[in-house]
Every structure is written in structure tokens, then in C-alpha cells.
Amino acid sequence: MTDESTPDAGRDFIRDIVADDLASGKTKGVVTRFPPEPNGYLHLGHAKSICLNFGIAEEFGGRCNLRFDDTNPTKEEQEYIDAIQRDVRWLGFDWGEGLHFASDYFEQLYAWAQDLIRAGKAYVDDQSQEEIRLSRGTLTEPGRNSPFRDRSVDENLDLFARMRAGEFPNGARVLRAKIDMGSGNINLRDPVLYRILHAHHPRTGTAWSIYPSYDFAHGQSDAIEHITHSICTLEFEDHRPLYDWCLDNLPVPSRPHQYEFARLNMTHTLLSKRVLTELVRSGHVSGWDDPRMPTLAGLQRRGVPPAALREFVKRIGVAKANSTVDIGMFDFAVRETLNKSALRRMAVLRPLKVVLENYPEGESEELEAVNHPDDPSQGVRRITFGRELYIERDDFMENPPKKFFRLAPGREVRLRYGYFVTCREAVKNADGEVVELRCTYDPATRGGNAPDGRKVKATMHWVSAAEAVPAEVRLYNLLFSAQQPEATNFAAQINPESLETLTGCMVERALATDNTDAAVQFERQGYFCRDKDSSPGKLVFNRTVGLRDTWAKVAAEG
Ligand code: ATP
Ligand code: MG
């Protein structure tokens, strides 16, 4: 496994091309576009493309359009159009006036198709989809000319107009470019430019009965928008000759150029809208914004800040060769970003009650806790200390092994921001489970230091039983435990432990009143954010990412 990081991640071959084109005067300004098809939500792979296109425009003083490639109405929906705009903005980019839809160009594209027919460079083919496929040939054999290839211009114009008018059923005819059935590039073997489709389009309704292919719409849309650098993923490299053929044979208002880069692939992740759509439809996840999804909506809900995504994309860089990025790199960027910004809080996920026998009953006191250890401007908050507390169940062991330094019978530890406490007795239930610890605290250690200089080996988080608020905490693990899940049989590869829901967690009071949905650090546990399922009487938190590389262990086992 390799990653794409380069020593100078701020520079890559595409930025070099743009810089050269500007320096040589080949183009005066730079105009890019991000061209999603509104047939699903955006995912991490799209984030790479968004950061590249919008980033280049920003860095070189140009513009970047958001253009919806809405040429296939059977799969496209307004919900996706709205979600994509939300997600691009959330990621931190602004298309200004540059919001476009390929469907806005349908009339112009139609006129250009007629131009090709008039020039003898396009024809209406009555063959079925299957016949067209069979006569296309293979990598080693040329294709065969369609029997309809030599129709007259007039007949082609007439049939094409009637296709538009809705006279024929779906699949009855197509418009094809007349290029070369013997071309070594299969994309040039008379590619389909228009197909009949009686479907309701989210924007044009039922105005059209024919829709342009991606190949016919894309380059011409770029030309209409005066895109200078049309950046797409490597699978379109073989389409570039067709992209150029269309532009060279049409009276387009500008001459864009296509450049290809390697798409983002990530371990334990499937970045394919088809797969993500099926995950949602089949109910394997709760929706497009399920925090286990690699969608921007899912990552946002999980608490990933957009700055972490931008940082991740910067670090993986842009290359020409396909590779797979370790998901650990993503977690690392999230952790690093949140470490700088996230407020610190205390939460006990699996509570074990502690009673301080020498703390007066009915009394309590306020302690001061810093909100961020490296950023005093984040201020402090007050937390309540009293006779009854909760600590993490894992922080106590009745018979501790050698390297366990946390609480055990007779052992003294520090409670964060508080006092030293010593465990005197573990109370058990009838099944022999420890249900409560009887402890004492040393009033002289307020603030966490002993005046006699004695040391303890552990500092533990805790919450006050009187003040803490119950919460549900959702722990997310890899959606796919396999390092390289297969798109074909993805359902069978879903990690059954990808979601672990903890109830009865106890969190400090501030977490109920904080008026932010940004992720916070639960000390010693990781980063968490309040989920939208929270309501006034119910707190729900999502784990954004753990503090350490829990993935590395799983990856090694996967
Ligand atoms: P999918 O493969 O998930 O179906 P797509 O390529 O069909 O995605 P589009 O909506 O057409 O999705 O993509 C919009 C833009 O995002 C395109 O320019 C595409 O090349 C780019 N893009 C899509 N997936 C990735 C990825 N994994 N890495 C980088 N760029 C991507
Ligand atoms: Mg696409």
C-alpha cells in the first residue's frame, strides 16, 4: 500500500500546468469547474476534486463553477442537487455567480448536434442498444459500420427532430457521431451523442424526450462556460480524444482542455455512488448522513471539521498514478485538526460509582477546569466535586497486572482537576461484579498535587454523580473490516461491529449546555460531537475519532 503524499503537497502536476499556461500567456485567467452528477451525495473522493478545482481557482486568482451534470434524469433528484450545494459550501468553497446546470445548455447542445448532422458527422441509428454494443468490436477487433450510417442529412435531421418531439419510444433510436468504427480507441467508434428517454427531469420537466450523453454534454458545457482547465479523473483519459473531437468540430465559444488525475481510493472504504446509494436503500446504514458513511454529510454528522478534510486532501496530493490512501491518514488529519480546536470535556462512557467515605454528605464544591490546555483564550469552566462520583469501569482492576497503574484496592490516583483518592474497598453484587468503590480522598491535594510531594502514576477523568447528565454515545468503527472491500459483494463485507451504542454514559454538565455542535475532546477517550438525534431530554454523542490509532490494529488483522 502506498500513499500519494509528496514532499511539496502544495504543488502538483496540474498546478504546474496551470502556472505554465498563465506564464506563457496560453490562457489569461484560469476557470475551473466541479461537475457532479446529482445522483447521490458527495463523498471523500469528491472532496479531493472540489479542493483541487476550487483551490486552483483561488490560488491563481480565477473562478470555479459548480456545474451539475444533469443529463440522466432517471437517476437524478432535487434532493441531491440541494445536498451537493450544502456540502460544497460546508467544505468551505463558494462558486459565486458560477452555478450552472448542463440542462441549461440543452437547447444549444441540440443545435450543435444538428450542426454535426449537417456536416455529415452525425447520424441517427435505428439499431438497438444490444446491436450497437455487439457491433462496436473489441480492443483487438474493429467495429462494424451501422447499416444506418449513410442516411442523408435531411433524413437524419428529420428523425432527430422527431426523436426530440417524443415520437419514438425509449431505445428506438440514438444519434451517433460519425467518426471511425475502426479506431483503436473504442470511444471514437461512433459514440452515442443522444438517446431517447421519456423521463421527468428535475429542472426541465417533460420538455425533452432526448438527452445528451456525458461525452457530448461535458466538453461543450466547459466551452460555454469558458473553462480553461477541465480537470477530471483518470478513467476519462480515453475519452479525451472524443472531448477534443467534439470541440474541434463545433463552433464553440472557447477551447477548454481536459486534464486527468488519479481518483482517491481509500482502504476500508468504497467511494462509489452506486455502492453508497445501495447502502442507503438497503437500510444497511441509517441514511446518506450516517456517520459511518464516507459522504461529506456523514463526516459532518460524525463531527469531522471541514478544515480536517481540506488538510487531508492537501496531504495526499494530486498524482497521475492510481493508488490507495490508508484510512489512517484521514483519521490522523481529523485528530490533528481537532486537537488544536476542540474544547476538553469529561465524560464517563462505562460508569462505575465511587463513594468518597470521608467527604461530608450533602456537600459539594466547584473546581476549575481548563477548556483547552494549549489555548488559554478558550477559558475555564466550573465542575462540581462531591461525595459520589463516576469513573470509567476500565480504570479499576481488582487484581491489576504489573503495568496497570490506575485504580486498584489500596492504590492512590489523581482525579483530573481534583484530588488524590485511594481505593479502600470494592463492593460486589451477588454475581461477584464490582458495582461500587469505597474510597477516601486527601483534602490536602486539591488541584491535583500533594503538599508532601508524593506522586501517583495515573490521572483519571471522572464526573460528579450529582451533576452528571446521562447520555447515549455511539462509537463508530470501520464500515468494512476488509482492507480492500469489493464493490460487487459489499453487503456481505459490512463490519457487524461498525456501530456500538453505549447507553447510560455520564457526561459533565457543560456538555448539556454547550451551545456548539463542534466536536469536543472527551478527555482520554477521543473526539465526540452532539448528534442531531439529541433532544432537550436526551443527549446523543457520536465518536468522531479515537485518540489513538485503533484502526491500525484492525488493519493489521484485516
Ligand atoms: P462515482 O464514481 O462515485 O459514481 P462519479 O465520478 O460518477 O462518482 P460525479 O458526480 O460525476 O461522480 O463526480 C464529480 C467529479 O468528482 C468528477 O469530476 C469526478 O471525476 C470527481 N470524482 C468522483 N469520484 C472521485 C474520487 N474518488 N476521487 C477524486 N475525484 C472524484
Ligand atoms: Mg460521473
Side-chain angles (χ1 to χ4, degrees), residues 33-39 42-46 48-49 53 69 214 218 231-233 235-236 261-265 271-274:
R33 86 286 170 266
F34 171 64
E37 180 178 357
N39 61 349
L42 299 179
H43 54 60
L44 263 170
H46 295 116
K48 177 174 178 179
S49 176
N53 281 293
D69 171 28
Y214 170 88
H218 205 87
I231 304 164
C232 63
T233 38
E235 61 273 25
F236 292 102
F261 70 100
R263 58 186 288 120
L264 171 65
N265 299 304
L271 296 178
S272 141
K273 278 194 281 194
R274 181 187 65 76

Side-chain angles (χ1 to χ4, degrees), residues 174-191:
V174 293
L175 183 75
R176 295 177 77 176
K178 195 178 196 172
I179 307 180
D180 179 6
M181 289 305 288
S183 171
N185 183 335
I186 293 182
N187 291 295
L188 293 179
R189 294 183 189 169
D190 292 9

Side-chain angles (χ1 to χ4, degrees), residues 75 131 236 285 449 535:
K75 289 191 182 161
E131 286 166 328
F236 292 102
V285 295
N449 288 304
S535 56

